[in-house]
Amino acid sequence: MTAPLMTDPLTLRPLRVGDAGAMSRVLADVALYTFTGGQPPTSQELARRYAVQTQGYAPDGSARWVNSVVLLGPEREPIGYVQATVPVSGQPTEIAWVIGTPWQGRGYARRAVTLLLAALAAEGVGQVIAHIHPQNRASVRLATRLGFQATDIVIDGETRWRASIAPLHRLP
């Protein structure tokens, strides 16, 4: 996924190291870490993380990484991110999403994840998984709405959700 993907009013653009400053502001609310743990990263921490993530592959070559910034409106204001780890082995692709607190509850996560799923389906990905804390009601609702099914697998307190995606996954 190298070119920006658009749906009014959202755009997904590949992550850049230079996004660290803006994204540190998007990710600054401690409430975002209620279910995942941790704390808001500094722009320096994000720059180091993004320097690795923008390489596009796991260091051992076992997976391709898709990391995109979610941009809103004609101003292309960063409001969150979506990401995917695509194993070269053909195992299910793991996805994740975060939308900053001020932009939550407006359908942006659904649109952003749908764009990500469409791009993955167009690349031949057929199975995706996501790990969601059972008390994260917003993410559970989103996964359900997008056709994910909860499994019995729990890792670090998060339930694994699974979905099959078809080519040209329906855009919102």
Side-chain angles (χ1 to χ4, degrees):
M1 189 164 73
T2 57
L5 294 173
M6 303 174 115
T7 184
D8 187 38
L10 292 185
T11 304
L12 297 185
R13 178 189 38 78
L15 180 69
R16 302 175 188 147
V17 175
D19 292 323
M23 289 302 295
S24 69
R25 291 184 292 278
V26 170
L27 302 173
D29 187 350
V30 295
L32 289 174
Y33 307 91
T34 300
F35 302 111
T36 60
Q39 59 187 359
T42 66
S43 60
Q44 295 82 8
E45 290 168 333
L46 285 178
R48 285 191 296 275
R49 183 182 309 164
Y50 293 174
V52 174
Q53 290 177 332
T54 56
Q55 292 176 13
Y57 283 88
D60 65 1
S62 64
R64 183 173 57 86
W65 293 333
V66 176
N67 292 283
S68 297
V69 176
V70 179
L71 304 169
L72 178 62
E75 306 83 21
R76 296 172 57 103
E77 172 187 19
I79 65 166
Y81 66 85
V82 293
Q83 60 188 30
T85 300
V86 185
V88 297
S89 67
Q91 294 294 318
T93 292
E94 183 164 358
I95 67 166
W97 58 88
V98 173
I99 299 295
T101 305
W103 302 277
Q104 291 179 4
R106 301 179 191 183
Y108 296 143
R110 181 182 54 81
R111 289 188 196 116
V113 173
T114 299
L115 283 171
L116 176 64
L117 293 174
L120 293 170
E123 294 175 4
V125 171
Q127 297 286 319
V128 292
I129 58 173
H131 290 92
I132 302 171
H133 192 284
Q135 293 177 349
N136 185 340
R137 292 187 302 258
S139 287
V140 166
R141 278 192 307 272
L142 174 58
T144 301
R145 188 171 188 185
L146 292 175
F148 282 72
Q149 299 290 321
T151 71
D152 293 332
I153 300 169
V154 177
I155 299 172
D156 295 329
E158 295 182 327
T159 302
R160 178 176 290 173
W161 290 70
R162 179 185 276 305
S164 295
I165 56 175
L168 303 175
H169 193 82
R170 189 175 62 83
L171 292 175

